[in-house]
Amino acid sequence: MQDAIDRACGVVDFAELHWTRERTLSVGYGDGHLQSIVDNDLSSVALRVIDKGRLGSTFGLRPDEPSLVEQAVRAASYGDKATFSFAGAAEAPRVDHYHEEVAHFTAEDLVRLCDAVRDAVRRVRPDVALHVHASAATTRRTVRTTLGANMDDRSTSLVLAFGAPIRGVGVSVNRSLGAVGSFAAPLDLVAEFDTWYAWTENASTPRTGRMPVIFAPEASFLYLLPLWAGLAGNAIEKKTSPVTERMGETILSPRLTLRDDALRAGDPASRPFDDEGVPCQRRTLVESGVLRGLLLDLRSAAALGLASTGNGIKRELFTAGTEIQPNPWAVNWIVEPGDSSLEAMIAELDEGLLVTGGIGFHSGNYSQGAFSVQAVGFHVRAGRVIGRLDRTMLSGNIYTDFLRVRSLSREARRAYTSMLSAGGGCAPYVLVDSLQVAGV
Amino acid sequence: MKELLGRAVAGLAVDYVDIRHEENRRIRIAFRGRRLSDIAEYSNSGSHVRVYDRGGKATASVSDPDRLHAAARSAAAAARLVGSRRERPLRLAPRVGASGSFPVRTPNDVRRLSLSEKLALVSHYNDQILRDPTVVDTEADYDEFVSRRTLVTSEGQAVEYELVNVTIYGLIITKQEGVVQRVRFAFGGCEDGARLLGREEDLAQLTAIAHDLPLAEPARAGTLPVILDPSEAGLFIHEAFGHLSEADGLQNNPGFRARLKLGVTLGGPILNVTDDATLPALPGSYEVDDEGSSARKTRLISDGRLTGRLHSRETATEFGEPPSGNMRAVDAHFTPLVRMSNIFIEPHGAALDDMVASIDHGYYLCGAKGGQTTGDQFTFGATWGYRIEGGRIGPLVRDINMSGELFSTLAAISMVGNDLSFAERGGCGKGGPQQLNRKSGKGAPHIKIDRVTVGGV
């Protein structure tokens, strides 16, 4: 097969081809009943060229489409002067993220997994309107350039999510789990779902004022997405980031160490190379509160006179996919755990919040470190959970409020962002000393 | 294409099957500051199969047309698996659409402009913003999406229809005294290219607000009365109520469904809310939905009472209510979901001056900034606002996010203005995997809500 890179050689200055093939099989249950099965088999390509020193791009379904090069060249004729070059030949690190068993999962396999979860939930919560969703995906990603990059990778993922609306309210209690290999019904998550559901029976609104807040792993996106926006090379280049020229300075609490670990074994978010064909890395971004690293794609790295960090990802806040141009983005975030526990954190609070999520993150000025959301989670008073949060807004800025972190839990787990296409990571419970809460 | 799809449909012995094939064309131009960061013109295609059989449902999407027959057979087997495990079979209401061809026709078809003319237009607006000395960055995008769709069903329906959406949109990013603020702009949002032209004055007004915004006072946290401008009120009704009028969101939530029975009182008699796909040249306008139903107008709230709901043929059967033609997918990679078309609060007659005069301490909030709904809880942001003290509009305010609960907030709408207008950019996320629907319209006049929780410092 002659692909767009073969066709582009000798026609344009440089070319880069990105090809994704993804097979996803998923099943969904509504109110405890199997509702639908979805089977998608999709292919998509992106071609970027530098022609006569100008950058252009196009997209399609297959790399051998004859019109791809012509379309990209036409775009380049209008395009800006290229300020960077595509990736050259390099060896990608090995990442263990393909499991044959998941690649051959059938609808019946997913139904068995969902049935087991449903039955386990029904044993403790027989009367909830349970929704369960499971999907098995096999993805193959190829990046080739005329400069010699030739990266190819295949991965699998098995994702399970379940939950149920709080009676009469509509807001759900949800739990989720993802892995590259097969797993059995996660009974520990079912037990946690049961505990959280019990906590929702009373609604409670805290007073308006400043108070301590525990961020569950599932809520880590509230403080990490503003940070990634600040560490992104394009924001540094334009000096719109609050951490511009602050490398080596303390920007967060000394208790916080944050890494971007693209090579973590067995993790669905890991990958050996980014969407520009640059090898990914295991990197420390913030070490004991001190800024140590940035997130750079090829373009922003060139603008700053640095090398790409392998963080050129086809992802924006709401969307991810082939048709998105690469942006600097964290691949697989890790917040280093501490030595406390959720129970100890709750016990020490006179009044505070346990936040498990937030509604409306994207409406805030997150690029400046700010977040202002309707808090989802639980109200803590006198060392115990007294009910789910009701009519409660939580506001803060990571560069001021996260200077004072009281403790982190030993337990850390992978968390997905349900609404945003922002990827995921692994985080512990984090107790922040004081944040602004709007309640009664 | 109709014949090809017809053969695939005829080859399946199932209760119902439809196949939607799409040929999509997109033009994207994007400026980031002075840099032209993206220019691309491209096309793609794909097919989506939906099968209902023996009470079950399954779907499949394929990029490769050679895979279509195999995908349809696989979906048929999967539908039977679903049906075999359901006590309550899934059924479709009778179809409410005809066969035919529905191209988009407009006297100002932007597709006639060349790529260089489109580039010059967005560059012109970007340059205008960059002349303000406080502007540190811009996002100025041109997005043209043309989708030609063919739907063939086992009921003998064959429909060819077109969707066209052209928008110039972006961000004005300013910085003063170390504070960075972002103000959004959007022109067009439909097939009418004339909406993209001559918008310099609108852009100048927004740039002036962006210029001042970094020096504005941050909103103070608390619960207080607010006036929402039409863009904010449109976003509010979309987020707070609109998503709960989509029947597939209620389908598997029996407790919540019981609270939203038709006839229940949700607000005062001044509150009237409609969803209307047939309005011309708005972001959420179309003639046929993605299961072949004709577009229509649905009165959702009449004189404060719930009178309608948005449906697919499946949910219409389950709820015993009429189908509404709201089943839509963003492209062939996705199965259709029940989506709002153009949802809006109908005008009532209050004047903005009277709303302001009625507030002793509150905010006048402007410039929709995105929102989110989870069940009956919603959050939405305002780009800028003004403090109201003693019935007068006061200083400029920034960093405003609001939240609330559906039922109490709808009941707290105490005044509805007479100046209905619609947003010029769609954008609504729903589903898993998420479908970001640009063809989603929202509108409202100014409204006053007596109590809203504002997050702030």
Side-chain angles (χ1 to χ4, degrees):
Chain A
M1 179 178 72
Q2 189 182 35
D3 71 15
I5 289 296
D6 302 320
R7 293 176 196 273
C9 280
V11 175
V12 297
D13 306 345
F14 307 106
E16 172 202 89
L17 177 75
H18 181 284
W19 183 22
T20 301
R21 291 81 89 200
E22 187 165 37
R23 169 87 194 275
T24 308
L25 184 64
S26 58
V27 304
Y29 285 52
D31 198 7
H33 300 285
L34 180 59
Q35 179 106 5
S36 66
I37 296 175
V38 177
D39 186 355
N40 289 346
D41 185 358
L42 302 171
S43 167
S44 56
V45 298
L47 179 70
R48 290 198 296 185
V49 301
I50 297 173
D51 185 43
K52 300 181 179 67
R54 295 185 176 276
L55 189 64
S57 59
T58 193
F59 307 90
L61 299 176
R62 296 163 53 92
D64 57 349
E65 285 175 33
S67 59
L68 278 177
V69 174
E70 182 189 328
Q71 288 174 187
V73 167
R74 179 171 142 77
S77 70
Y78 296 100
D80 238 10
K81 189 178 169 196
T83 55
F84 66 99
S85 187
F86 299 133
E91 192 166 335
R94 279 188 58 80
V95 175
D96 169 24
H97 63 167
Y98 180 84
H99 279 231
E100 201 72 42
E101 188 184 359
V102 170
H104 293 100
F105 250 52
T106 63
E108 287 81 358
D109 293 327
L110 292 172
V111 166
R112 272 192 291 277
L113 175 63
C114 291
D115 277 353
V117 171
R118 179 193 60 189
D119 294 345
V121 172
R122 279 184 171 169
R123 281 193 286 276
V124 293
R125 292 274 159 192
D127 53 349
V128 298
L130 182 71
H131 52 83
V132 189
H133 181 271
S135 65
T138 305
T139 305
R140 186 161 180 189
R141 252 175 353 106
T142 305
V143 179
R144 293 184 67 205
T145 72
T146 52
L147 291 167
N150 191 357
M151 302 291 201
D152 189 55
D153 177 57
R154 60 180 186 167
S155 61
T156 51
S157 69
L158 177 63
V159 175
L160 170 75
F162 65 96
I166 302 164
R167 223 179 325 276
V169 177
V171 176
S172 290
V173 174
N174 298 312
R175 309 301 299 123
S176 62
L177 176 66
V180 298
S182 181
F183 53 78
L187 299 181
D188 54 337
L189 277 187
V190 172
E192 191 173 57
F193 167 83
D194 182 39
T195 301
W196 285 20
Y197 205 89
W199 285 348
T200 66
E201 281 176 9
N202 298 315
S204 184
T205 306
R207 64 183 167 81
T208 295
R210 294 191 70 87
M211 63 188 69
V213 174
I214 304 165
F215 287 84
E218 291 75 12
S220 57
F221 74 94
L222 291 174
Y223 58 90
L224 290 176
L225 290 184
L227 182 65
W228 305 152
L231 301 191
N234 42 7
I236 299 290
E237 170 205 349
K238 291 179 174 169
K239 301 189 190 309
T240 55
S241 166
V243 298
T244 303
E245 296 173 356
R246 295 193 62 190
M247 188 64 70
E249 294 181 19
T250 295
I251 61 166
L252 299 173
S253 162
R255 295 185 193 277
L256 286 172
T257 292
L258 311 175
R259 304 186 201 284
D260 185 27
D261 187 354
L263 313 181
R264 194 167 188 242
D267 195 319
S270 296
R271 47 161 64 192
F273 55 90
D274 72 2
D275 289 326
E276 299 182 302
V278 176
C280 286
Q281 305 174 40
R282 181 175 286 133
R283 304 178 60 237
T284 299
L285 301 173
V286 175
E287 185 177 29
S288 301
V290 176
L291 179 60
R292 295 292 186 207
L294 301 175
L295 304 171
L296 304 175
D297 61 358
L298 286 169
R299 199 206 62 77
S300 64
L304 293 167
L306 301 169
S308 168
T309 54
N311 289 96
I313 308 295
K314 286 180 168 288
R315 181 181 289 158
E316 292 174 345
L317 194 59
F318 289 114
T319 50
T322 304
E323 293 181 12
I324 306 294
Q325 295 289 7
N327 288 299
W329 209 279
V331 174
N332 189 16
W333 67 64
I334 308 290
V335 181
E336 288 293 318
D339 57 5
S340 184
S341 68
L342 174 61
E343 294 73 22
M345 291 176 180
I346 291 173
E348 75 173 75
L349 299 186
D350 292 331
E351 182 173 23
L353 312 185
L354 167 56
V355 174
T356 59
I359 306 173
F361 167 83
H362 58 293
S363 311
N365 196 4
Y366 66 90
S367 69
Q368 298 305 298
F371 56 88
S372 178
V373 296
Q374 183 176 184
V376 176
F378 306 100
H379 187 193
V380 178
R381 187 178 284 159
R384 65 184 188 88
V385 173
I386 60 169
R388 66 178 159 83
L389 292 171
D390 185 36
R391 291 166 293 154
T392 306
M393 290 209 70
L394 175 68
S395 309
N397 188 298
I398 58 166
Y399 300 116
T400 51
D401 296 312
F402 277 70
L403 286 168
R404 295 183 305 279
V405 169
R406 285 192 199 173
S407 56
L408 296 94
S409 69
R410 282 182 297 278
E411 179 195 357
R413 62 170 176 252
R414 190 168 169 72
Y416 295 90
T417 52
S418 58
M419 175 190 158
L420 310 165
S421 295
C426 188
Y429 290 91
V430 177
L431 172 54
V432 177
D433 189 56
S434 173
L435 284 165
Q436 178 65 45
V437 171
V440 290
Chain B
M1 181 51 66
K2 273 196 290 192
E3 290 70 29
L4 179 71
L5 301 187
R7 281 197 296 276
V9 164
L12 287 186
V14 293
D15 294 341
Y16 173 86
V17 55
D18 65 39
I19 302 180
R20 185 179 85 249
H21 179 79
E22 297 183 8
E23 297 285 340
N24 299 326
R25 187 171 158 276
R26 182 160 231 142
I27 295 176
R28 287 196 329 217
I29 301 167
F31 282 90
R32 296 293 176 267
R34 298 199 180 278
R35 179 171 61 89
L36 176 62
S37 70
D38 188 15
I39 180 162
E41 185 177 16
Y42 57 97
S43 54
N44 59 36
S45 60
S47 302
H48 181 77
V49 184
R50 290 195 318 159
V51 176
Y52 284 79
D53 197 30
R54 301 180 203 178
K57 174 177 72 177
T59 70
S61 290
V62 292
S63 305
D64 182 352
D66 294 341
R67 287 266 305 128
L68 183 58
H69 285 270
R73 284 194 300 273
S74 167
R80 287 191 288 275
L81 172 62
V82 174
S84 71
R85 300 173 58 86
R86 287 189 64 84
E87 295 162 13
R88 207 174 66 229
L90 299 168
R91 302 265 184 243
L92 293 178
R95 74 178 168 109
V96 289
S99 295
S101 181
F102 302 91
V104 168
R105 292 193 179 89
T106 170
N108 307 302
D109 197 332
V110 77
R111 287 174 284 184
R112 292 184 195 140
L113 296 178
S114 69
L115 185 60
S116 57
E117 287 171 305
K118 292 164 184 171
L119 174 61
L121 184 60
V122 69
S123 176
H124 165 68
Y125 289 134
N126 190 50
D127 288 345
Q128 178 183 332
I129 301 167
L130 285 164
R131 283 197 287 274
D132 186 286
T134 64
V135 169
V136 291
D137 200 6
T138 63
E139 293 186 10
D141 290 39
Y142 177 93
D143 186 18
E144 178 180 320
F145 177 67
V146 178
S147 183
R148 291 195 177 88
R149 301 185 177 189
T150 305
L151 179 80
V152 174
T153 79
S154 56
E155 295 171 338
Q157 187 182 12
V159 194
E160 291 173 307
Y161 54 108
E162 205 172 46
L163 303 172
V164 178
N165 192 289
V166 187
T167 315
I168 291 177
Y169 63 95
L171 288 171
I172 306 162
I173 305 170
T174 53
K175 184 176 183 179
Q176 291 204 67
E177 297 184 4
V179 177
V180 176
Q181 288 288 307
R182 295 160 177 252
V183 171
R184 299 177 181 202
F185 66 94
F187 308 137
C190 61
E191 69 275 16
D192 184 0
R195 303 267 181 92
L196 305 178
L197 306 174
R199 305 302 296 267
E200 291 81 2
E201 184 55 35
D202 296 319
L203 193 58
Q205 288 177 13
L206 291 168
T207 306
I209 290 165
H211 178 107
D212 294 338
L213 201 54
L215 302 181
E217 63 183 39
R220 308 289 298 184
T223 300
L224 65 182
V226 298
I227 299 166
L228 305 183
D229 81 348
S231 80
E232 276 289 277
L235 176 63
F236 161 75
I237 205 64
H238 172 103
E239 294 293 347
F241 169 72
H243 281 295
L244 289 171
S245 70
E246 295 166 339
D248 54 354
L250 299 179
Q251 196 173 8
N252 296 306
N253 187 344
F256 210 50
R257 192 167 155 180
R259 292 185 72 186
L260 283 167
K261 284 188 173 158
L262 294 187
V264 68
T265 297
L266 293 175
I270 59 171
L271 185 61
N272 292 282
V273 179
T274 295
D275 182 87
D276 191 352
T278 68
L279 292 170
L282 288 174
S285 304
Y286 54 89
E287 291 197 70
V288 182
D289 78 358
D290 289 319
E291 60 176 359
S293 297
S294 302
R296 63 183 59 199
K297 174 179 179 176
T298 306
R299 201 86 188 281
L300 300 171
I301 298 178
S302 303
D303 302 328
R305 293 175 64 230
L306 186 66
T307 51
R309 211 184 313 274
L310 305 180
H311 279 296
S312 64
R313 292 176 61 188
E314 179 190 314
T315 62
T317 300
E318 183 159 331
F319 283 69
E321 295 169 5
S324 65
N326 286 83
M327 194 63 162
R328 297 189 297 142
V330 296
D331 65 34
H333 293 182
F334 298 100
T335 200
L337 305 171
V338 180
R339 311 297 297 252
M340 289 167 260
S341 62
N342 299 301
I343 190 169
F344 61 99
I345 301 174
E346 295 181 14
H348 192 263
L352 174 60
D353 288 348
D354 294 338
M355 294 185 194
V356 174
S358 72
I359 294 177
D360 185 47
H361 172 63
Y363 286 120
Y364 172 33
L365 303 176
C366 308
K369 199 181 176 185
Q372 190 179 353
T373 308
T374 303
D376 57 349
Q377 307 290 310
F378 62 86
T379 301
F380 62 108
T383 306
W384 73 94
Y386 302 91
R387 187 149 51 86
I388 299 176
E389 296 291 350
R392 292 172 182 274
I393 289 181
L396 190 66
V397 177
R398 62 175 165 88
D399 297 339
I400 311 138
N401 240 10
M402 290 152 285
S403 74
E405 182 268 341
L406 167 71
F407 297 98
S408 59
T409 309
L410 286 179
I413 296 175
S414 57
M415 299 175 89
V416 176
N418 51 14
D419 49 355
L420 170 66
S421 70
F422 284 85
E424 290 189 77
R425 188 184 180 205
C428 170
K430 181 178 175 180
Q434 181 163 251
Q435 298 189 43
L436 187 60
N437 182 22
R438 295 285 178 218
K439 285 199 66 64
S440 171
K442 45 191 173 285
H446 279 87
I447 64 170
K448 179 192 169 194
I449 307 177
D450 287 339
R451 281 174 64 84
V452 165
T453 301
V454 175
V457 294

